[in-house]
Amino acid sequence: MQILVWVFEVLFISSLVGVFPLSLAETTSPGVCSEADRAALLAFKAKIVKDTTGILSSWIGRDCCGGDWEGVQCNPAGRVTTLALQGPVKDSSMYMKGTLSSSLGSLPFLQVLVISGMKLITGPIPDSFSKLTRLTQLVLEDNSLRGNIPSGLGLLSHLQTLSLAGNHLKGPVPPSLGNLRNLGMINLGRNSLSGPIPASLKNLHLLQSFDLSFNSLSGFIPEFIGQFRNITFIDLSNNQLSAHLPISMFNLVSLSYLSLSHNQLTGTIPEQVGNLKSLTSLSLSSNKFIGHIPASISRLQNLWSLNLSRNGFSDPLPDVSNRGIPSLLSIDLSFNNLSLGTVPKWITDRQLSDVNLAGCKLRGSLPRFTRPDSLSSIDLSNNFLTGSISTFFTKMTSLQKVKLSNNLLKFDLSELKVPDGISSIDLHSNQVCGSLSSILNNRTSSFLEVIDVSNNLISGTIPEFSEGLNLKELNIGSNKIAGQIPSSISNLIELERLDVSRNLITGTIPMSLGRLANLHWLDLSINRLTGRIPTSLLGIKFMRHASFRANRLCGEIPQGRPYNIFPASAYAHNLCLCGKPMLPCRGKKQETSQ
């Protein structure tokens, strides 16, 4: 869903004229830059104590308008009009560290100010920014800014885009932002803002994109939201909003994306939802909605993503004909008060990519889909499905993730014929038997990242692991697996989570386990392991959880973080483990934590 949000916002931003120039080096033959503007930029640079992006290293020489100062553009009179510094959000090694200098408020001709993705720029948003009265775009996304949003930003009457998302801002949304009558986009998401949505925002009649998601906002969704006739994007998800949906919201005929998930909203979905004729994505998950899903939802001709999961919706489902919701690609009705029995034909007969019907009281054998080749993700967990699995994956050539956990499925792992491109298999808490070698062998796809077959009836031993596997999570706990942990476990170089607890595993913990540098979760508890805990595990720097409880281990616990500061319960019920956090080893004085 986050990818979907990103796509909508990128499309919106790119539609704004002059938001971000095509080339930050392009200018219209400016003159030599103003000495005052140059001084303001250098004062900003002085507040950045570390710059791994290398951008500011280009800020040398007398002329900040000559095209050599990266991110800076000027008008023909030599006054700075654009400062756009954008770091790659996904590359953690590229950042700026420091604070925002109030000197930027001394750039009177500035129209575009973008400082985003710099990660470690902290401190407050300077009050001096209220002096940038020519500003049309203010984007300070994905930094570490703190404090309140300055009320003075409400003086920037020409502002069209305001994004302060992805920081650590707190306090209320300033009512003064309601003065920004030219605003087309406001994004204050992914902060720690609190309080209600201010009534003054009703003045933002030109608003097209409204994002306050991932905050701690409370109160209700205001009725005035239905006045935003041009709005195409609303995301108020992951807050503490309550009460009913405002009926006015269903007048927004241009609305394309609506997410109100993870709030405390109550009541029913009004029949008027069918009026949102432009809607492509609707997410109301994780609220307190009740009643029936209205039949009018079938009138949403452009809807391709529908997520109503984790509410209190009850039977019956609307009777959706073949012509209803014709664009639907993804549906999630999981964890409501639905007792479907079988998957409705209007779902199985469609060309869908994602089907999520967890906890819908499905019974009988696994469903058959008319267009299995289109499916990329299936979640039918927490139901009462029975029988075998031998033909379920036939022709599912695009499947990437499958979750069938917490059912009554009974089959041998040798029957499991999964598509080559699958990345995640979750079959935990069923009645699956057989040997792990049926799914972990030299034919196992390199695309496979997650295997969870815990809490089943699997026996045999842990097979040898060949090179080239890209498993990140392997959970085989609570089975009847015997034998030893093979030293070839070290071939799982991408592994982050390993759980082999509650089995019959014997032998020693292999030294090679210490080569799994990405491992952060390890559970070897309740087995029959002997010998020592190898000191090679000290080489795993990011371990956050480890349990060696209830084995037959002996000797000194590795004396280095985090092993010597894990709780004693992680080592309890062994033969003779000693050293911090347990009792000192015999004849050895206990040392302080390293």
Side-chain angles (χ1 to χ4, degrees):
M1 188 57 73
Q2 280 303 109
I3 294 175
L4 187 62
V5 173
W6 179 84
V7 169
F8 272 93
E9 293 192 344
V10 166
L11 289 174
F12 173 78
I13 291 174
S14 63
S15 70
L16 293 175
V17 178
V19 174
F20 301 119
L22 292 177
S23 171
L24 297 178
E26 290 178 2
T27 60
T28 54
S29 302
V32 176
C33 78
S34 155
E35 187 60 35
D37 288 3
R38 178 178 175 274
L41 293 174
L42 290 177
F44 164 77
K45 180 179 179 180
K47 289 283 190 177
I48 303 299
V49 296
K50 190 172 184 179
D51 173 25
T52 65
T53 69
I55 292 174
L56 298 183
S57 63
S58 68
W59 288 19
I60 54 177
R62 305 292 307 174
D63 188 6
C64 63
C65 294
D68 294 331
W69 286 41
E70 188 174 346
V72 177
Q73 287 193 56
C74 304
N75 63 18
R79 304 309 300 262
V80 174
T81 57
T82 295
L83 176 59
L85 309 176
Q86 295 173 275
V89 175
K90 293 185 178 181
D91 187 347
S92 60
S93 67
M94 304 284 278
Y95 60 87
M96 288 183 186
K97 183 178 183 181
T99 58
L100 290 180
S101 172
S102 60
S103 67
L104 293 180
S106 301
L107 295 171
F109 289 86
L110 200 62
Q111 298 173 31
V112 175
L113 177 56
V114 179
I115 301 175
S116 68
M118 293 305 176
K119 304 176 186 68
L120 297 181
I121 293 182
T122 186
I125 299 171
D127 290 332
S128 63
F129 283 14
S130 63
K131 297 189 293 183
L132 300 173
T133 55
R134 286 184 170 87
L135 213 58
T136 60
Q137 320 297 336
L138 178 59
V139 179
L140 303 175
E141 291 180 347
D142 296 306
N143 298 297
S144 295
L145 299 172
R146 299 181 180 275
N148 294 344
I149 299 173
S151 61
L153 296 185
L155 299 174
L156 307 179
S157 58
H158 294 290
L159 211 58
Q160 299 169 20
T161 299
L162 174 63
S163 180
L164 308 176
N167 285 287
H168 305 295
L169 300 170
K170 62 180 183 178
V173 178
S176 62
L177 298 186
N179 298 328
L180 304 177
R181 295 175 182 266
N182 289 306
L183 211 57
M185 174 188 179
I186 183 169
N187 186 353
L188 307 179
R190 294 178 289 121
N191 280 290
S192 299
L193 302 173
S194 57
I197 299 172
S200 60
L201 298 190
K202 67 183 178 182
N203 298 321
L204 307 181
H205 297 297
L206 300 181
L207 207 57
Q208 297 178 46
S209 180
F210 187 42
D211 191 340
L212 301 178
S213 62
F214 289 91
N215 280 289
S216 298
L217 299 173
S218 57
F220 54 88
I221 299 173
E223 193 73 32
F224 67 72
I225 204 165
Q227 299 174 23
F228 299 150
R229 298 297 182 179
N230 299 318
I231 204 159
T232 61
F233 182 99
I234 297 176
D235 191 347
L236 303 177
S237 64
N238 294 274
N239 280 288
Q240 298 168 22
L241 299 170
S242 57
H244 290 50
L245 295 175
I247 292 295
S248 68
M249 178 180 287
F250 302 100
N251 297 328
L252 302 175
V253 294
S254 298
L255 188 63
S256 178
Y257 180 96
L258 176 61
S259 179
L260 306 175
S261 61
H262 295 274
N263 278 288
Q264 299 170 21
L265 299 168
T266 56
T268 60
I269 302 178
E271 280 290 332
Q272 290 92 329
V273 69
N275 297 338
L276 302 177
K277 61 182 182 181
S278 299
L279 205 61
T280 61
S281 178
L282 174 62
S283 179
L284 303 177
S285 65
S286 299
N287 280 285
K288 299 178 180 179
F289 291 115
I290 58 172
H292 303 313
I293 299 168
S296 62
I297 211 161
S298 64
R299 301 205 307 263
L300 300 177
Q301 298 291 299
N302 297 301
L303 192 71
W304 57 271
S305 178
L306 175 63
N307 187 347
L308 304 178
S309 64
R310 299 183 184 276
N311 281 286
F313 294 118
S314 54
D315 298 318
L317 285 182
D319 184 15
V320 180
S321 67
N322 290 335
R323 295 182 180 180
I325 334 181
S327 303
L328 194 65
L329 293 176
S330 175
I331 186 167
D332 192 343
L333 303 177
S334 303
F335 300 111
N336 280 285
N337 290 328
L338 298 171
S339 298
L340 298 185
T342 58
V343 181
K345 283 183 64 64
W346 65 267
I347 294 178
T348 57
D349 290 353
R350 287 173 185 264
Q351 187 173 345
L352 299 174
S353 62
D354 302 286
V355 175
N356 300 282
L357 299 173
C360 287
K361 297 184 175 65
L362 298 173
R363 300 178 183 276
S365 57
L366 290 164
R368 293 182 177 274
F369 293 90
T370 305
R371 295 296 305 272
D373 55 317
S374 67
L375 289 164
S376 64
S377 174
I378 303 173
D379 184 354
L380 302 177
S381 62
N382 294 82
N383 283 294
F384 302 96
L385 297 168
T386 58
S388 178
I389 202 170
S390 56
T391 60
F392 181 63
F393 295 110
T394 304
K395 297 183 181 179
M396 291 188 182
T397 52
S398 301
L399 194 65
Q400 297 176 30
K401 294 182 180 181
V402 60
K403 190 172 184 178
L404 300 173
S405 56
N406 282 297
N407 276 287
L408 304 172
L409 298 171
K410 190 173 184 179
F411 62 92
D412 191 288
L413 279 176
S414 61
E415 300 175 39
L416 192 64
K417 309 296 182 186
V418 296
D420 290 338
I422 202 161
S423 64
S424 178
I425 303 172
D426 187 351
L427 299 171
H428 82 261
S429 303
N430 279 284
Q431 299 172 33
V432 180
C433 60
S435 170
L436 287 174
S437 58
S438 297
I439 55 173
L440 284 170
N441 49 56
N442 56 13
R443 298 184 303 278
T444 302
S445 169
S446 60
F447 291 106
L448 191 58
E449 295 183 348
V450 176
I451 296 178
D452 189 345
V453 290
S454 60
N455 197 25
N456 278 290
L457 305 172
I458 298 168
S459 56
T461 61
I462 301 175
E464 296 288 340
F465 298 100
S466 58
E467 294 182 1
L469 292 177
N470 290 307
L471 279 178
K472 292 183 177 179
E473 180 178 338
L474 177 59
N475 189 346
I476 58 174
S478 300
N479 280 288
K480 299 179 179 180
I481 299 167
Q484 301 185 10
I485 300 172
S487 60
S488 60
I489 190 88
S490 60
N491 285 329
L492 302 181
I493 57 176
E494 301 293 333
L495 200 64
E496 298 174 0
R497 190 179 180 104
L498 175 63
D499 190 338
V500 300
S501 63
R502 299 178 184 273
N503 278 289
L504 308 171
I505 297 171
T506 57
T508 59
I509 301 172
M511 294 277 291
S512 60
L513 194 63
R515 297 181 202 159
L516 300 181
N518 295 315
L519 201 65
H520 58 73
W521 178 286
L522 174 64
D523 196 340
L524 306 178
S525 63
I526 316 180
N527 279 289
R528 300 173 183 178
L529 293 166
T530 56
R532 303 170 67 92
I533 299 174
T535 55
S536 63
L537 296 188
L538 290 169
I540 305 175
K541 302 299 184 184
F542 303 107
M543 189 74 78
R544 296 200 300 267
H545 169 88
S547 180
F548 305 90
R549 182 172 64 91
N551 278 285
R552 299 171 182 176
L553 299 168
C554 198
E556 186 175 33
I557 293 166
Q559 291 302 290
R561 288 177 181 268
Y563 303 96
N564 59 347
I565 61 171
F566 280 140
S569 58
Y571 304 99
H573 307 295
N574 276 284
L575 282 183
C576 50
L577 285 177
C578 59
K580 282 201 169 193
M582 306 293 281
L583 294 173
C585 295
R586 185 173 298 177
K588 188 169 182 178
K589 186 177 180 181
Q590 192 87 290
E591 298 175 0
T592 57
S593 297
Q594 297 178 25

